[in-house]
Amino acid sequence: MKLSVFGYELVIPTDIIAAWVSVILIGIVAGYIIIKKRKLGVVWDYMKTTNHRKIGILYLLFGIIYFFRAGVDALLIRTQLAVPNNDFWVFQGEKYNELFTTHGTLMIFFVAMPLLLGLMNIAVPLQIGAKDLAFPFLNSLGFWLFFAGSLFFNIAFFLNLTPEVGWTGYAPLSRAEFTPGAGTEFYVFGLQISGLGTIFTALNLIVTIIRHRAPGMSYTRMPLFAWASLITSFLILIAFTVLAIALYLLMFDRLFGTGFFSGDEGDPVFWQHLFWIFGHPEVYILALPAFGIFSDIISTFSKKRIFGYGTMVASIVLIGFLGFMVWVHHMFTVGLGPVVNTFFAITTMAIAIPTGIKVFNWLFTMRGGVIHFTTPMLFALGFIPSFVIGGVTGVMLSLSAADFQFHDTHFVVAHFHYVIIASTILGVFAGLYYWYPKITGYMLDEKLGKWHFWTFLIGYHITFFPMHITGLEGMPRRVYTYSEADGIFILNAISTVGAFLMGISMLFVIWNVYKTHKKKKKVSGDPWDGRTLEWTVSSPAPEHTFEPMPVIHSMDAYWYAKVKNKPLPATTNVRVKPLERDSIQPFCIAMSLFIVSTGLTFRWYWLAILGGVMLFALLILRSITDEREDFYGKSDDHA
Amino acid sequence: MKKVFLLSLVLLLTGCNITVLDPKSETASEQAFLITFSFWIMMIVVVTVFILFARFVWKYRYTNSRKHILPKDVKGNIKLEITWIIIPVLLLIILAVPTLAITYDQSPEWTKESEDAGIEIDVTGKQFNWLFRHRNGKEEMDKLVIPEGESIILNLRSEDVIHSFWVPELGGKVDVMPGKELTYEIKHPQRGTYQGKCAEYCGLGHTDMTFQVEVVSTQAYAQYLHQ
Ligand code: HEM
Ligand SMILES: [Cu+2]
Ligand SMILES: [Cu+2]
């Protein structure tokens, strides 16, 4: 669309206009509702909160919002690919490249990560008997950094400056000489800020799990979701640090013309190494927490303890460890040579073994149990076969010479969606249905939940199964069209139908949430007849939990107490609760980084300096405020 | 002989004509063999899991008659758990042997003085075209003509960003890197016309960065070089 403003000719693509219009409309409606229902106070409360459940809710809320946005991208991708030589709206060439870049980046960093971090934030402290995360202020800061980063990344689209370097940002394409626009900066800074928040949250979880378990809750009695969260947090700590370094170097290459990733002194392959040393563990960062959720859910709804707890924990640890030794399987075609290729082919195959152990242990947990087909359990059941399909194509991809054919085709697209959707997305859905009572006090409607499950699962297989074949037929990924002669029209059309079925299934979620909150039927603290500690506190989880503190003598202690019809033993002699003080500082710190990034992106260095000054002022302010004062009173003895 | 054997095995196992599984060179046949071979080994795993899954879910489902059963606690079973460590290890070893052999032979490498005799061709990728230069200096854009039955040695290099050279019928991908030359060998291509494409996302014109490959008789190739 052409506009003329003050005599300037402005060309604005129609998709951008559509985005502005829809966001403004949604904004007006949301604003109206908030003001009408006098909820401004709630918004302010959440902006300052340092409570783990509320921060978890914020993570979940934004994860879901971005899931819808990235899902719309996916539907646009599939519409463009539905028929050969398609000319759908504006999504050819550049716009298509922007589509898959936003879709991929959002899904990984701003959907999967916050949804998992949200669930960890809410459930882990409740599962291990901690009264909150160890550092409530840091927790809030972690969220707001994530928020600032995601906001920064998303704004790019509204300015028609969407990055188009793929979610992998390969150099030298991502260097300034090939993508000179500001688009790539949105990728670099968006991920950098949110990644920093993720690292903080991981640190927080590690300390919480190590230091704040209930008395008697030894490592051999900890629920598997807590175990998975612990190992995942270590993976985040290492992997996201590597990503931060990679992005930092890329930032220097782009802004100041250093040559880390090209030219004589640098090498574009360095970027690939750094990116995948982050990127492969990232896959496990997304999968392990989901494994943990499924372990708890399968055991709860089979009414049996998990089969082979020891090997389950060992395989989580082993997967986490091996996860750092396989990154080159993304680079078999780069020319690192036969020795490197074979080494990484073997390490990659090896990782299938601990994964296999887990699958069989889940199966044998159900054996001899009484399986209740609740919605969370259905998602867990849907996960097992789907994940196995993604797993075996993973082994096929690890055969390096075969990967020369698979690499960068739709076979790979099929593979990683099978793995990520089966584990992370089904896992998050399972977790949401499972812990919804703990989060809100209401139970989601089971019937709508089942509709959601079946339409989503069927749609997912219809979408991605055909892609295995289109890939083998020679369809590369990241291409916006194909020709009739390629003979892949029918398969692509089927994929598109499946994608829309998945889209429809999400409408059930919206309806379900609406219905549940309309009905306002409160549930008890233990609606699922659960096994772990989170079911001992009331629903929704109050701000002050575990008073008195339960003492743990076995795994699934709550379950065995119920079986024996005795209450859990309790004590009042406990570690003090992490000090919680509402504060708007985390939000401000995150926003100051947002300002720095804006300044650097557009080379408005004065703005960057302004943001930097703000940041340092806030850090100084933070280090001179003593939260303990208004808690313990002003005195010197606690110093 | 080996080639015929592999080819027939592959065709027997797939029985359909999916491009990659219907290879037109020895290089691609070896890859197709690995793909189908691993597919069938993996089917063992898939079928086992699916059967156990269906059986357990059905047999142990909640029914009114089982309402009040309190399942017996099973902590684990070392023998079973060892079984599902050992069997996958064996399957993976079976997979690893041919993988190692073929990977060792086929992996692209930075150009060194190659011992293999063959027809050498320089391939240059640039946004968004391919330039092929033959030994006698003949160059052509977006069209690669090669003789059948020979070993074709490609020396690939990019002028700008990373691209990837791919002709599904003739073999897997090789990345085309700036500032570094890679060598990839296509063994014994069969006569025919194929479509090649760029498989590494390289910017605006990536989708259209395709080229034609014609595998012709040796005489026709000689003629082509002197046209
Ligand atoms: C909801 C249904 C989804 C559909 C229909 C869908 C569809 C697609 C398609 C067709 C592509 C390939 C685009 C291309 O290469 O041309 C793609 C790429 C991708 N998808 Fe999805 N997707 C979905 C969900 C997800 C989820 C849940 C995740 C991860 C959490 C995800 C992560 C990715 C990534 C990382 C890429 C690669 C982007 C790139 O090439 O840079 N997708 N998706
Ligand atoms: Cu990987
Ligand atoms: Cu390309």
Side-chain angles (χ1 to χ4, degrees):
Chain A
M1 188 191 269
K2 277 211 180 85
L3 281 181
S4 77
V5 187
F6 306 123
Y8 289 104
E9 280 282 290
L10 226 73
V11 185
I12 306 176
T14 47
D15 60 322
I16 307 276
I17 296 178
W20 272 105
V21 171
S22 49
V23 162
I24 290 175
L25 284 182
I26 293 173
I28 291 175
V29 173
Y32 177 76
I33 294 177
I34 289 174
I35 292 172
K36 176 105 186 294
K37 297 207 164 171
R38 302 179 189 286
K39 295 286 187 197
L40 268 178
V42 178
V43 175
W44 178 240
D45 181 41
Y46 270 80
M47 282 170 73
K48 296 183 306 181
T49 189
T50 52
N51 173 265
H52 73 96
R53 185 176 64 90
K54 289 189 177 163
I55 291 174
I57 291 176
L58 286 173
Y59 268 122
L60 293 177
L61 181 69
F62 283 95
I64 288 171
I65 291 175
Y66 294 136
F67 187 53
F68 278 98
R69 148 114 219 244
V72 169
D73 284 335
L75 294 184
L76 295 172
I77 291 177
R78 279 316 323 166
T79 312
Q80 166 60 26
L81 292 179
V83 294
N85 301 318
N86 198 5
D87 234 349
F88 167 65
W89 203 355
V90 287
F91 299 109
Q92 296 80 37
E94 188 174 22
K95 283 281 175 187
Y96 185 86
N97 299 345
E98 296 177 359
L99 264 189
F100 67 71
T101 304
T102 3
H103 167 74
T105 315
L106 277 176
M107 282 291 190
I108 300 281
F109 294 97
F110 304 132
V111 175
M113 291 303 293
L115 288 176
L116 291 171
L117 291 177
L119 288 178
M120 290 189 213
N121 235 299
I122 293 169
V124 168
L126 295 178
Q127 281 198 324
I128 62 174
K131 296 183 171 213
D132 200 329
L133 288 198
F135 309 116
F137 182 92
L138 190 69
N139 195 16
S140 163
L141 181 59
F143 170 77
W144 289 110
L145 285 172
F146 152 78
F147 175 79
S150 68
L151 193 68
F152 192 71
F153 184 84
N154 273 285
I155 278 178
F157 180 69
F158 294 92
L159 306 177
N160 198 18
L161 289 170
T162 317
E164 42 180 308
V165 290
W167 87 281
T168 49
Y170 269 19
L173 187 63
S174 53
R175 281 174 47 93
E177 62 261 47
F178 297 108
T179 42
T184 312
E185 264 81 20
F186 282 97
Y187 167 86
V188 172
F189 291 111
L191 299 197
Q192 188 68 281
I193 306 176
S194 68
L196 192 61
T198 307
I199 293 175
F200 289 163
T201 304
L203 277 169
N204 214 340
L205 282 163
I206 292 175
V207 178
T208 309
I209 297 173
I210 291 180
R211 296 283 297 157
H212 287 266
R213 281 165 293 135
M217 166 83 68
S218 63
Y219 287 112
T220 52
R221 294 174 187 161
M222 210 158 70
L224 282 171
F225 180 59
W227 255 113
S229 302
L230 178 63
I231 302 299
T232 305
S233 301
F234 278 110
L235 295 189
I236 291 177
L237 196 59
I238 303 171
F240 273 76
T241 308
V242 177
L243 177 70
I245 294 166
L247 291 168
Y248 193 65
L249 298 180
L250 182 60
M251 174 185 88
F252 270 91
D253 266 17
R254 288 188 63 84
L255 292 183
F256 310 118
T258 50
F260 292 108
F261 300 127
S262 87
D264 294 330
E265 67 274 48
D267 189 333
V269 179
F270 292 163
W271 170 265
Q272 297 189 21
H273 281 298
L274 289 173
F275 187 84
W276 290 116
I277 290 174
F278 148 75
H280 194 86
E282 168 69 7
V283 178
Y284 292 102
I285 291 169
L286 298 182
L288 289 181
F291 291 173
I293 296 174
F294 290 130
S295 301
D296 288 356
I297 286 180
I298 290 176
S299 146
T300 301
F301 294 109
S302 304
K303 305 286 162 206
K304 250 180 102 228
R305 72 189 274 158
I306 196 83
F307 185 93
Y309 179 86
T311 38
M312 285 305 245
V313 172
S315 54
I316 298 179
V317 177
L318 203 60
I319 290 174
F321 178 72
L322 284 175
F324 282 102
M325 312 214 317
V326 298
W327 78 91
V328 169
H329 66 212
H330 299 269
M331 302 166 62
F332 283 146
T333 61
V334 169
L336 301 177
V339 180
V340 178
N341 281 0
T342 32
F343 175 80
F344 282 92
I346 289 178
T347 52
T348 306
M349 285 185 211
I351 219 167
I353 294 163
T355 316
I357 296 176
K358 297 192 76 76
V359 171
F360 284 103
N361 281 357
W362 285 317
L363 289 175
F364 276 73
T365 303
M366 296 195 287
R367 181 173 176 233
V370 178
I371 303 173
H372 292 248
F373 297 106
T374 56
T375 308
M377 185 63 177
L378 282 179
F379 277 100
L381 292 176
F383 151 78
I384 293 177
S386 312
F387 183 75
V388 168
I389 297 177
V392 298
T393 52
V395 173
M396 292 171 70
L397 284 163
S398 74
L399 312 178
S400 29
D403 182 67
F404 299 158
Q405 286 287 16
F406 294 134
H407 182 67
D408 268 345
T409 66
H410 269 245
F411 188 91
V412 174
V413 177
H415 157 73
F416 69 72
H417 282 89
Y418 257 91
V419 177
I420 303 185
I421 293 185
S423 55
T424 313
I425 300 298
L426 295 187
V428 165
F429 285 148
L432 281 176
Y433 282 96
Y434 184 56
W435 284 310
Y436 206 79
K438 214 34 70 186
I439 302 171
T440 62
Y442 307 122
M443 185 111 148
L444 284 171
D445 186 79
E446 280 286 291
K447 190 154 164 224
L448 286 175
K450 283 171 189 169
W451 272 95
H452 169 216
F453 168 74
W454 284 109
T455 44
F456 189 85
L457 188 80
I458 295 170
Y460 148 52
H461 283 270
I462 296 180
T463 310
F464 294 105
F465 199 83
M467 290 188 197
H468 292 112
I469 307 172
T470 52
L472 289 176
E473 287 280 20
M475 183 171 174
R477 68 194 270 201
R478 298 172 170 179
V479 296
Y480 66 84
T481 197
Y482 50 93
S483 74
E484 260 156 88
D486 293 332
I488 45 178
F489 162 44
I490 301 292
L491 291 165
N492 271 297
I494 295 175
S495 271
T496 303
V497 172
F500 277 90
L501 187 55
M502 293 169 88
I504 291 170
S505 82
M506 291 308 292
L507 300 180
F508 288 109
V509 181
I510 299 179
W511 186 10
N512 200 341
V513 171
Y514 176 76
K515 199 175 150 185
T516 307
H517 286 260
K518 190 109 196 161
K519 234 174 39 190
K520 293 208 185 308
K521 211 175 112 235
K522 289 273 180 194
V523 291
S524 73
D526 184 19
W528 301 113
D529 198 6
R531 309 173 72 84
T532 37
L533 283 187
E534 72 266 39
W535 308 111
T536 61
V537 305
S538 57
S539 301
E543 299 220 349
H544 299 277
T545 44
F546 302 116
E547 283 162 357
M549 177 64 75
V551 180
I552 307 302
H553 291 294
S554 70
M555 68 176 280
D556 293 346
Y558 181 47
W559 172 256
Y560 292 110
K562 283 192 287 187
V563 169
K564 290 200 198 105
N565 221 341
K566 274 193 210 143
L568 274 175
T571 167
T572 47
N573 175 17
V574 287
R575 180 173 291 127
V576 289
K577 179 181 171 149
L579 196 57
E580 242 182 61
R581 280 287 166 271
D582 280 1
S583 169
I584 193 66
Q585 286 181 27
F587 178 81
C588 298
I589 292 177
M591 285 305 136
S592 65
L593 273 170
F594 184 96
I595 294 172
V596 174
S597 306
T598 313
L600 289 177
T601 298
F602 296 105
R603 316 288 197 272
W604 298 332
Y605 292 113
W606 57 270
L607 187 66
I609 293 171
L610 193 73
V613 171
M614 227 177 107
L615 176 65
F616 276 100
L618 282 163
L619 292 181
I620 292 168
L621 180 68
R622 165 68 190 162
S623 45
I624 56 175
T625 27
D626 189 351
E627 291 173 332
R628 295 170 300 177
E629 257 168 31
D630 48 332
F631 189 76
Y632 297 105
K634 220 177 171 83
S635 88
D636 291 330
D637 9 308
H638 63 255
Chain B
M1 192 56 220
K2 187 173 142 215
K3 179 177 124 196
V4 176
F5 170 72
L6 281 175
L7 248 181
S8 53
L9 189 68
V10 164
L11 287 181
L12 194 81
L13 287 175
T14 58
C16 49
N17 53 357
I18 293 176
T19 313
V20 163
L21 302 179
D22 185 16
K24 303 289 189 216
S25 81
E26 192 176 318
T27 308
S29 306
E30 290 173 353
Q31 293 162 350
F33 161 75
L34 264 188
I35 294 173
T36 31
F37 182 63
S38 59
F39 175 77
W40 288 111
I41 301 247
M42 284 298 116
M43 279 316 278
I44 301 177
V45 178
V46 171
V47 169
T48 317
V49 172
F50 279 32
I51 289 177
L52 286 177
F53 178 78
R55 195 181 138 78
F56 291 169
V57 170
W58 183 251
K59 191 163 170 207
Y60 301 108
R61 74 193 186 285
Y62 171 89
T63 56
N64 271 334
S65 59
R66 307 183 66 233
K67 208 174 192 162
H68 299 292
I69 296 180
L70 182 67
K72 205 170 91 227
D73 260 332
V74 187
K75 295 200 170 155
N77 182 326
I78 282 297
K79 274 192 202 137
L80 277 176
E81 287 171 62
I82 289 180
T83 317
W84 56 68
I85 295 175
I86 303 277
I87 294 181
V89 170
L90 292 179
L91 289 181
L92 289 178
I93 290 175
I94 296 174
L95 273 181
V97 173
T99 304
L100 295 198
I102 297 174
T103 301
Y104 235 84
D105 187 39
Q106 290 194 349
S107 285
E109 274 188 277
W110 301 354
T111 300
K112 49 181 196 303
E113 279 315 307
S114 99
E115 322 84 70
D116 309 326
I119 310 282
E120 292 210 23
I121 295 171
D122 291 335
V123 180
T124 311
K126 58 168 185 276
Q127 289 176 326
F128 300 96
N129 292 98
W130 298 93
L131 184 70
F132 300 102
R133 182 212 280 229
H134 299 263
R135 264 305 88 127
N136 69 344
K138 181 177 172 73
E139 287 184 352
E140 187 159 7
M141 189 90 103
D142 290 338
K143 184 169 159 201
L144 171 63
V145 180
I146 47 176
E148 64 174 330
E150 303 268 354
S151 266
I152 314 295
I153 294 169
L154 303 168
N155 300 314
L156 308 106
R157 172 185 276 280
S158 165
E159 278 185 10
D160 37 49
V161 299
I162 303 174
H163 305 276
S164 189
F165 174 96
W166 188 32
V167 188
E169 289 89 345
L170 299 184
K173 299 161 196 76
V174 213
D175 285 0
V176 182
M177 312 290 291
K180 195 178 322 184
E181 196 169 86
L182 290 186
T183 309
Y184 190 67
E185 190 181 354
I186 294 177
K187 279 175 270 177
H188 309 295
Q190 292 169 26
R191 220 185 283 188
T193 307
Y194 312 106
Q195 204 196 34
K197 36 198 128 196
C198 174
E200 179 64 60
Y201 173 61
C202 55
L204 254 188
H206 168 61
T207 306
D208 305 315
M209 194 171 157
T210 55
F211 56 99
Q212 260 219 334
V213 185
E214 277 176 30
V215 184
V216 298
S217 67
T218 323
Q219 297 91 312
Y221 180 66
Q223 247 170 29
Y224 167 80
L225 284 185
H226 295 101
Q227 254 164 32

